[in-house]
Amino acid sequence: MSNLKFCQGPDCHTYNTQDRLKGPKGNKTYQTRRRSHMYYGRGNFCDQRCLYDWVAQYIEQGLDRFGRTTQAKHLTKDNAWVKDYDWRHGVGESHLYYFLNTITKERRPLTEEQYNDNNYTLNER
Ligand SMILES: [Zn+2]
C-alpha cells in the first residue's frame, strides 16, 4: 500500500466524514485522507475544499515566490495556436488533429502524437 499518498489539504483531517475516521477500535481519530489517485490540484487533493484550503493558505507566498502578473498579457497571432480535432465516425478512422490559430483562423495539420505531446506548440513563449 506504499503507493497511497496523502491529501495535501491543511485541514483535511478536520472534516469529520466516516471515511476519515481511522485507527484501532476505541482509539479512532479523523485523519488526512490517503488515496492511490486524487482528482484535484494535479492529483494532490482529495476534493475541491481541500484544494481551496491550500490555496487560501499559500496563495500569497506562491505569487511572491513565482512572480505576479504586473501588466496585461496580449493574445496575438504569434501565441494564438490551440490544438483541436474533428471527430471521425468511421471504423478504423482516426480523428483529424490540427492546430487552429484563434486570431487568423489558420489551420495546420497535426499528428495524434503531436496532439498528445503537451510540450509541442507553435506558440511563442
Ligand atoms: Zn483532503
Side-chain angles (χ1 to χ4, degrees):
M1 290 293 211
S2 58
N3 60 344
L4 293 179
K5 56 184 184 179
F6 288 103
C7 172
Q8 297 301 302
D11 299 326
C12 190
H13 63 290
T14 67
Y15 302 124
N16 49 358
T17 60
Q18 274 313 114
D19 71 295
R20 287 180 171 96
L21 192 57
K22 303 247 166 134
K25 197 171 182 184
N27 199 20
K28 291 183 183 297
T29 57
Y30 291 101
Q31 299 179 14
T32 301
R33 278 177 170 158
R34 286 173 84 172
R35 301 239 170 105
S36 58
H37 185 80
M38 289 180 269
Y39 294 95
Y40 298 88
R42 300 201 173 205
N44 289 298
F45 301 92
C46 70
D47 61 21
Q48 216 167 31
R49 176 166 58 180
C50 282
L51 169 59
Y52 282 114
D53 285 345
W54 189 93
V55 169
Q57 188 161 331
Y58 297 110
I59 187 72
E60 294 299 328
Q61 287 169 260
L63 288 171
D64 287 342
R65 171 70 177 80
F66 300 109
R68 293 173 186 269
T69 299
T70 56
Q71 51 187 296
K73 297 174 183 176
H74 299 263
L75 184 67
T76 68
K77 64 180 175 56
D78 296 322
N79 62 3
W81 294 101
V82 296
K83 292 176 179 177
D84 203 352
Y85 65 88
D86 289 335
W87 184 265
R88 295 291 169 186
H89 294 285
V91 175
E93 275 189 292
S94 61
H95 303 316
L96 187 65
Y97 299 95
Y98 56 87
F99 271 118
L100 171 66
N101 190 301
T102 62
I103 299 289
T104 64
K105 306 304 179 196
E106 181 186 348
R107 280 187 183 206
R108 292 187 192 171
L110 267 179
T111 65
E112 184 174 355
E113 189 179 34
Q114 290 168 331
Y115 179 87
N116 291 322
D117 181 352
N118 289 331
N119 294 317
Y120 187 74
T121 182
L122 296 179
N123 290 324
E124 293 178 5
R125 308 228 180 190

